[in-house]
Each structure stands twice: as C-alpha cells, then as structure tokens.
Amino acid sequence: METRAPYVLIGSFVLAAIVAVFGFVYWLNNTGGIGPRTNYHVQFQGPVPGLLVGAGVLFNGIRVGEVTQLGLAPDNPRFVNATISVATATPVRADTKVGLEFQGLTGVPVVTLEGGVIVAKSGELPTLIAEAGAGQSMTQAARDALRRVDTVLQDNSGPLKDTIANFKTFSDGLARNTGKLDSIVAGLEKMTGGGSPAQKVTYDLRAPDKLGPAGKTLSEPLAIPEPTAVAMLQTQRMLFSPVKDYPGFAEFLWADSIPKLLQARLIDSFENYDIAHAPLRATDVGQAGYQLLIDVRRFRIATEGEPQAEIALSARIVDKAGKVIASRLVEATEKLDKIEPAAAVAAFNTAFGRIAKELVGWTVQAV
C-alpha cells in the first residue's frame, strides 16, 4: 500500500513560516519592536532627498525609532511633513534639534534628534521644526559652495583681471632684469659670507736633498717626535706678524699643521742625508737610543719693514734616561719679493733648507 505525501499541506506550512519570520523581522525593525511608542510631527523647511518611510530615527547617535509617514505640507508645498515613531522613554523636548544625515557610502538618509531642555505641556506633543538646510546632502552643499564662489568671481572679474595683468607686468620686468638680479644676489652672498665656499689651495714644505756626503752617521737610533708649539701655531693657515689679511691667502693651506709638517720634513731631511740610519717616528720612540725634541717658536711672515719668512726652532737631544745631552736654537729668515702664496712658499723652502742642514749636521756630531 503506497503512502501519499501531503505536498500541498507541507508547502503551505513552509511558505507561512517564511512569511511569518519576515513579517516579525520587519515589525521588529520598523514598526516599533517591543515597548510603548510615541509619535511626533516633524516639519522640514526644504527637500529631503532619499528619505523614505521606515528610515531610522537617531537620538544622539542611538536608534530610537523610525519614520512612519511622509507628505507635503498642504499650506506650503516647499515644506515636508513627517511623522516619526520613537520609544516613549526617549527624552524628546519642544526645542530638540532635528536634522537629516546621510550615512554610508550610498548616503542613506536618517532623521537625527539632539538635545533639548524645554518640556512640552502635559498631553501636548510638540511639532519639531528641522534646521534650515537639514535635507541638504554633501553633494548639494558642494554645488552651492561652488555656485557662491562662481558668483564672487563674476562680481570681481574686473579687479581680478587687473591683478593678473599687474603680475604679468612684474614678471616681465623680472625677466628683463635677470642679469642685474643675479649680480645683486651674488653681491649679497659675498657680503654675508654665503654662496658656495671657495676652493682651498694646499702648499707643501720641501725638504733639502743636497746635504753633502754622509761623512759621519748616527751611532744609535734616533727618534723625532711631533714638535711642540703654542696653540696659534697648531694651524694650516699662513701666519703673519702683525696679524693682517692679505689677498690670495684666504684659500691658502699648508699640507698639514705646522708642527706635523716640520716633523715630516725633518725626517725627510735626515733620510736624504743617510737613508740607512734614518730617524724613527714618534710611534717607534721606545726603540730609539736618542730623541730629537723640537719646539716651534716662529713660523710666519714678518711684514714690518721688508717682508720675510721667519722660522725659529728650539732643539734638544735627550737619551733614554731623559737626560739632555745637547741643545740648540736654530733660526733662518728669507726675504720675499712680494706677499703672495707662491713667493711665500719659496721663501719658506729656502729658510727651512738652511735650518734642516744645520740640525742634521749638529745632531750627527752630538750623537
């Protein structure tokens, strides 16, 4: 015996259940949900684009109800009347502010309520008046702003044309006088010390290479530490006495500070005399039997009277025990044809050549 399924009855039950679920959801979200409701009349003094029955009502950002009715005001078709249903516990007052906001990327409109302190009379439900322009969307606000800007530009087109013409005249004047402006700017940079720095020119001190045959050599290793000098001599600049700035020396630099330069060229001089018994540098002082200690007294150009290069050194020879076995003052001067870098360096080379030759001979005899 075959059992016949009641398909019609089952289908009807399923459809009824679906309709009931959708109806419950719609009622819960749009028709009041659970709890008592209160209706208020709202009037918008302008268009309300996109507002529909069922749109949400927010109080201070919290959903409290929905729009239940919309229509045009019979006495003024520019106005829109709306009825909203909100939870009775919502503190709506006679002076509650009403607005319209557009939420999300699609700009879905919702009615917004905010604040209010004036309590309406008992039994009387106030009509809430929305703020002017409450229904204006962001797009419409942008259009209105651009329209106002366009109106301002139209009203001031003449002065704007004159201003642009003045700018053009000014820019043409600048273009015609570009060379003069460059000269003015260059002069200001020079006066204030600005602009790119001048290229420095480096000069070296030459060690003498003709010191005669090495008749006598150093009996023990000799070290020449870095000479001592006052702070003024710890420089690469050319020094003058009395102190003064001379043309051509602003970019002048010795190859190293004066004490280090003298140390290097004195060692070169001893090597030129006898490379097999050349003195050691400061880093090898512990291996030397003697030290040649130099103190720099003068290394300058004297300009009082006839200009000349002056070099003055104090020399002492000490043994491993620190005992001074010999001391000597060596000085040399050389006249300058003119005060300029090349002539000055040539004079210092000549003066240093005599000092180096004297120190080499004296040291070899003492040691």
Side-chain angles (χ1 to χ4, degrees), residues 259-273:
K260 291 182 178 180
L261 186 62
L262 287 172
Q263 177 195 25
R265 297 302 166 258
L266 282 174
I267 292 176
D268 290 346
S269 300
F270 275 92
E271 289 176 348
N272 291 340
Y273 173 75

Side-chain angles (χ1 to χ4, degrees), residues 26-324:
Y26 179 83
W27 171 80
L28 185 63
N29 287 278
N30 297 290
T31 315
I34 300 174
R37 315 287 287 185
T38 301
N39 293 330
Y40 293 92
H41 298 294
V42 178
Q43 188 175 77
F44 294 92
Q45 300 177 353
V48 286
L51 185 63
L52 301 173
V53 173
V57 178
L58 307 181
F59 192 96
N60 288 348
I62 300 174
R63 180 168 179 139
V64 294
E66 57 283 326
V67 178
T68 59
Q69 187 176 352
L70 282 173
L72 297 175
D75 55 341
N76 189 342
R78 296 183 60 186
F79 293 177
V80 176
N81 292 335
T83 301
I84 60 175
S85 176
V86 300
T88 302
T90 305
V92 178
R93 304 288 187 258
D95 59 341
T96 295
K97 294 181 180 180
V98 182
L100 198 64
E101 287 187 0
F102 297 85
Q103 297 184 332
L105 296 175
T106 57
V108 177
V110 294
V111 178
T112 59
L113 306 177
E114 182 180 354
V117 294
I118 302 176
V119 180
K121 296 180 180 178
S122 178
E124 179 182 343
L125 295 179
T127 297
L128 305 176
I129 307 300
E131 297 177 344
Q136 189 179 46
S137 65
M138 294 297 293
T139 304
Q140 185 61 39
R143 289 197 188 99
D144 291 344
L146 291 175
R147 190 179 298 112
R148 287 192 292 270
V149 171
D150 185 61
T151 302
V152 171
L153 292 177
Q154 288 180 354
D155 294 342
N156 297 274
S157 59
L160 284 174
K161 289 180 180 178
D162 294 341
T163 302
I164 294 173
N166 292 335
F167 274 118
K168 185 176 184 303
T169 302
F170 179 70
S171 62
D172 291 342
L174 289 178
R176 287 193 303 270
N177 295 276
T178 301
K180 294 180 180 179
L181 290 174
D182 290 342
S183 299
I184 292 173
V185 172
L188 290 174
E189 287 183 348
K190 185 176 181 181
M191 182 177 65
T192 58
S196 57
Q199 186 68 30
K200 300 297 184 181
V201 182
T202 303
Y203 295 88
D204 201 356
L205 189 65
R206 187 175 66 246
D209 53 2
K210 296 180 180 179
L211 298 173
K216 184 180 180 181
T217 60
L218 296 172
S219 59
E220 290 194 40
L222 175 72
I224 304 179
E226 180 181 334
T228 57
V230 296
M232 183 180 68
L233 293 167
Q234 302 282 348
T235 181
Q236 291 180 257
R237 304 301 300 267
M238 179 65 76
L239 301 177
F240 293 89
S241 177
V243 177
K244 184 180 177 181
D245 292 330
Y246 287 89
F249 287 91
E251 293 78 35
F252 182 99
L253 286 179
W254 285 113
D256 207 335
S257 65
I258 292 173
K260 291 182 178 180
L261 186 62
L262 287 172
Q263 177 195 25
R265 297 302 166 258
L266 282 174
I267 292 176
D268 290 346
S269 300
F270 275 92
E271 289 176 348
N272 291 340
Y273 173 75
D274 183 9
I275 187 63
H277 300 85
L280 306 174
R281 294 185 179 272
T283 54
D284 303 319
V285 166
Q287 304 175 16
Y290 296 95
Q291 295 183 54
L292 176 60
L293 305 181
I294 302 294
D295 181 69
V296 184
R297 294 191 168 191
R298 290 191 301 277
F299 196 92
R300 66 192 182 187
I301 296 177
T303 57
E304 290 183 341
E306 191 172 3
Q308 60 182 9
E310 294 183 347
I311 304 176
L313 306 178
S314 170
R316 290 176 298 157
I317 300 176
V318 299
D319 59 14
K320 287 185 176 181
K323 180 182 177 181
V324 178

